[in-house]
Amino acid sequence: MTLKFGFWSEQETQVGHSYARRLHELVDEAVFAEKMGFDFVSLSEQHVALGGISSSAPEVVYGYLAAKTSRIRLRPAVTLMPKNFNHALRSAERLAVTDILSNGRMEFFAGRSNTTIAMRAFNVEAAETLSQMEEGLALMKEAMSKDIFKFSGKHYNVPPRMLVPKPLQKPYPIMGIAATSPRSHVYAAEQGMACLSNNFYSGWEKQAEYIALYKDNWKRDENGPLQRPSLGIPLFLGIGKTDQEAKDNYAEPLMNYARISTDAYPRLAKIADDYNYFSEGLEGLQRAATDWDYLVNDSGTTLCGSPDTVIRQLERIVDMGVDEVLFHLDSVSHEMIMDAIDMVGKYIIPHFKDRNNVVRPTDEILNTIRGMRDA
């Protein structure tokens, strides 16, 4: 199975820059990513966020990208499923319409929310986010796959109704969740859904544990679109012409992102039992925010270096059995993001997808030829 590559953005806007201009830059980045061979573009959903992150209405951007692109798949990373953020039927309607307009290129990945800033602004109860997400996903599947559906649950009660229109992809587009705990990996597997696995800077051993949990527990949903497990990993990426250039350009932005996380996640762990597991990874979060060597070499979240170095780092992840990688290309200028997309498209993607078309050293080829000659 060929490794798939995604471009993941939170539409982060630099201090002193324009939110409006950044949105247009994001569209340019997504269009360029398609040209450079990326398989999908993923946009985060963030509300009333601090620090420049401004992807508040990704569903609107998907509709625009449906017209601006022709091949690349469109995937939320993620749609927030608490009812006060997105009613599940509205999510199903938006997914269906954008799937039609994109000629069957939409996917759907769900999440619970991981910031109290957004939860409190939308009056979302932290203790309800997990059950609302899981019930909302069940409702979406019913609405999209059945002509007439009805639904009865704790959070949703829908009398017999019909979703109009339905998605182009049958029975519905690929659906998955962002999984950050053992429970969520098992849930995704048992539902026959795709999984976006994140170890929150806790290291390679934890990431391998999560991958095994998902793949060992996966069950085919006979009524769903997936025939086999589908596991992706989000990775923070810093890339440059040399290792030193990549470090100089990306070390501070990547560590700053970890510092933001050290503040947000422990707070959530204190307010709801369902988020308690965030406190278990606090040591890794703190090290990632202050220790560059740990962040790049041991956290299991970050790649940084020249194209050759990034390839070596990525091969370790591929050997763990992942199907997709999502490169977080954000936190730096638009020009640097475009350069990163260019380098990934020229060097990284071909290495993993079409190695026979990658130029190799002449001596290496000659040695192979000589070894194949008759004595």
Side-chain angles (χ1 to χ4, degrees), residues 98-302:
T98 318
D99 193 50
I100 293 169
L101 292 176
S102 65
N103 294 310
R105 290 186 285 131
M106 276 301 297
E107 299 179 1
F108 187 86
F109 276 66
R112 300 164 54 188
S113 183
N114 57 12
T115 70
T116 55
I117 291 175
M119 288 183 188
R120 287 169 178 162
F122 283 78
N123 297 312
V124 170
E125 293 292 335
E128 297 286 334
T129 60
L130 181 61
S131 59
Q132 287 189 14
M133 181 187 75
E134 293 179 355
E135 192 171 298
L137 286 168
L139 171 55
M140 288 182 67
K141 290 179 182 180
E142 288 287 300
M144 290 187 291
S145 60
K146 294 183 177 178
D147 180 27
I148 306 294
F149 74 96
K150 64 179 180 178
F151 191 89
S152 178
K154 176 183 176 183
H155 304 289
Y156 292 102
N157 285 283
V158 184
R161 292 292 186 270
M162 181 170 64
L163 185 73
V164 180
K166 288 185 169 57
L168 191 63
Q169 298 177 82
K170 305 301 181 189
Y172 45 80
I174 289 173
M175 297 180 69
I177 65 167
T180 56
S181 70
R183 184 196 181 283
S184 55
H185 284 80
V186 173
Y187 166 80
E190 291 180 343
Q191 295 295 313
M193 298 171 68
C195 178
L196 182 60
S197 177
N198 189 337
N199 73 68
F200 276 138
Y201 302 100
S202 295
W204 295 107
E205 185 177 339
K206 178 65 70 175
Q207 188 61 70
E209 174 189 325
Y210 284 169
I211 291 171
L213 266 178
Y214 173 70
K215 295 205 168 184
D216 290 347
N217 287 280
W218 199 81
K219 300 175 183 176
R220 165 91 168 93
D221 178 3
E222 297 300 328
N223 299 314
L226 278 181
Q227 303 297 316
R228 57 181 297 278
S230 177
L231 186 135
I233 294 181
L235 295 167
F236 297 97
L237 177 67
I239 190 168
K241 294 181 178 65
T242 65
D243 289 349
Q244 190 60 49
E245 179 185 278
K247 182 179 179 181
D248 291 345
N249 287 338
Y250 284 93
E252 177 54 31
L254 293 175
M255 294 179 74
N256 183 61
Y257 194 97
R259 282 194 288 273
I260 295 171
S261 301
T262 61
D263 179 60
Y265 301 142
R267 187 184 302 118
L268 260 179
K270 295 176 182 178
I271 65 174
D273 291 343
D274 285 340
Y275 289 96
N276 274 343
Y277 67 92
F278 277 157
S279 61
E280 299 171 7
L282 185 56
E283 180 182 351
L285 277 169
Q286 292 171 337
R287 288 192 65 185
T290 57
D291 184 341
W292 175 249
D293 287 338
Y294 175 80
L295 178 62
V296 175
N297 298 317
D298 301 317
S299 73
T301 64
T302 304

Side-chain angles (χ1 to χ4, degrees), residues 42 58 77-79 82 85 88 131 168 217 256 312-313 332 349 373:
S42 290
V78 293
T79 296
F85 288 127
S131 59
L168 191 63
N217 287 280
N256 183 61
R312 289 197 302 273
Q313 294 168 335
V332 293
I349 294 176
R373 286 173 178 164

Side-chain angles (χ1 to χ4, degrees), residues 37-90:
F38 282 71
D39 296 288
F40 52 90
V41 58
S42 290
L43 306 179
S44 178
E45 180 183 338
Q46 303 287 343
H47 299 289
V48 294
L50 305 178
I53 292 173
S54 56
S55 51
S56 59
E59 64 278 0
V60 178
V61 183
Y62 301 137
Y64 190 65
L65 287 177
K68 295 283 287 185
T69 60
S70 61
R71 177 193 57 81
I72 200 165
R73 296 183 68 79
L74 310 173
R75 174 192 296 182
V78 293
T79 296
L80 302 178
M81 292 301 288
K83 287 177 68 175
N84 281 12
F85 288 127
N86 295 291
H87 191 288
L89 282 182
R90 291 291 289 127

